[in-house]
Amino acid sequence: MTHESTAVGLASAYSNATTASGDWWRDAVIYQVYVRSFADSDGDGIGDLRGVRSRLPHLARLGVDAVWLTPFYVSPQADGGYDVADYRAVDPLFGDLADADELVRAAHELGLRVIVDVVPNHTSEQHPWFRAALAGEPGARERYLFRRGRGADGSLPPNDWESIFGGPAWTRVADGEWYLHLFAPEQPDLDWTHPEVTAEFDSVLRFWLDLGVDGFRIDVAHGMVKADGLPDIGRGAQATLIGAEPLPFFDQDGVHEIHRSWRRLLDSYEGARIGVAEAWAPSSERLALYVRPDELHQAFNFRFLNCPWDPAAMRTVIDESLSATTAVGAPTTWVLSNHDVVRHVTRYGGGPRGLARARAAAMLMLSLPGSAYLYQGEELGLPEVSDLPPASRQDPAFRRGRRQQIPAPAGAPAPGPGPAAPGIIAPRPGEPPTRPGAGIGNGPEADAGPAPEQPLAPQAHAPTQPQAGASTGPAPEAQGQTGPEAEAGIGPQARACCGPEAETGAGAGPDLLTAPEAEGQDGLRDGCRVPIPWAGAEPPYGFGPAGSWLPQPPEWAGLSVAAQTGDPHSTLELYRAALELRRAMPGLGAPGAGPSPDPSGMRWLPSPDGVLLFTRPGFACTLNTRPEPVELPAPGRPVLSSAPVETDGHTVRLPPDSCTWWAF
């Protein structure tokens, strides 16, 4: 018989013991909402909190346990809200505090927990603390990493550190000092040795916990502490080293005391509030340090995301990940896509083959012990949008070569004369210095040359004009996705943000630098942030009453929630079925569920080349990575498959690039 890719009705109750005990996070499926691109309630083309609230029933029906919201705080939006000017207020672009409160309450009524981002490594340059630092307020610069420059006149950066977005990690201000920004110049790094910084973030966390959120995703959780003396690295292309080699600005041992203090704070609240680390570390063992019993609850497992479509590599990553986290008593997390990487449909080759692999990879991920993260739109099988018009792009790394003036504090002396540092334009007489990585705006005005002086207070943002028209991305071959990299599922933009394999010097055109000056992120992250389709035959597909801040492809009409609902072969119904079965089958979800000598409850079994086969209590999973069918003894009764499987009850013919779940 042929088993179609629909769920068999398993009516058993949700039997996961960890949920009953309150450790919901150990096997939770958490859905990432990129607020700008989820749902727009007011017609300005930008997603907002009311829009998110209106679409919560979709997430409840999908079957996830929690929602993670990207930053919605007051921000100039130089980096999609990861440049925060006020951590306790909602940016008018997204609503207000009442909207945040109502969203949390509505989510809880639907049985969904809410996790929000916190951004502790850096603030916005428009944060009151940094404005005070530029204005020369006594002691204000001690909250940040200001240093004198090198060279006789201080005209060279204090060290050789590079920004993740390309160019130097230092910007010189009007009085000649330099400040550190590991990301955009609009994101100055905080100095976490200063007691006011520690106290401020304790207060920020309490503010949102008191509002009712269930936890925090901690942005750059590995970055708050820098090595003593800020030593040189001695080589370039530093973004490519992150997560692969020790670096003096990331994964320093001192970050763990911060996370221990936050764990104590989280534990002081009722309801199992959690902390999730976005952390890059050179090894699984180093990453596991972030989830020791007295630190955070989870850490993103980017090694799984970066793994190619290769069964040996997948098994290695799975084994090493489980081993490292089991050693410290923590669950492993699994993720395939997020707001910083190319969507995995495209990474796995694009087109029908990429979609088949993406569906299979999702089923593999959801069958592994631990917690899984879904990125909005992956349940629809959305591909990357690779041909966005340059004028619509807003990723700060895209225009990392632009130059923009820095406003000088009133009465501040001009810096002394001297040669320009790498990536810095020497000022003309009477003008303030300029900095790299600027010209980052909300639309075409970013190309308009130097910006006027920036105000010294956060502003409400005028609505961004929706982009008219849309076009679909080229075929994988047109994107350069041929040969071994395409076969491995690694496209030209497939590297994770800040990850060990970050692309360098990518892109072309007058707004982009070329390597080695601009070695950092490729600046093309907007392609995974295009607003998702809900319903309708043309853009914006129910995203909102008007257009969308990034153009949506015309082919997305068939990928909308409405178009896929009820179709047993759709990716949406596959995800819904997988999440329903994950709750229903005792052997799925939490580590240690059911009797097994392996703490993960998972065992690998012999299988043909190109096939992975493992069991958990009462459950088996087969993954065929080969481009042709494979026959093997049936490990049980098929309950869900990413593609139709043929079985007579004794043998099974696994389709190419497919995953099948079995009960026994």
Side-chain angles (χ1 to χ4, degrees), residues 12-26:
S12 60
Y14 187 11
S15 59
N16 195 314
T18 59
T19 298
S21 68
D23 289 341
W24 63 271
W25 44 275
R26 286 191 167 270

Side-chain angles (χ1 to χ4, degrees), residues 366-379:
L366 291 171
S367 67
L368 295 171
S371 179
Y373 281 78
L374 310 181
Y375 177 52
Q376 66 176 46
E378 75 170 79
E379 77 276 19

Side-chain angles (χ1 to χ4, degrees), residues 89 143 149 191 199 202 230 300 330 344-345 441 448 485 508 511 554:
R143 302 176 182 129
D191 185 347
D202 282 354
L230 309 184
F300 288 136
H344 58 281
V345 167
E485 282 212 335
D511 291 327

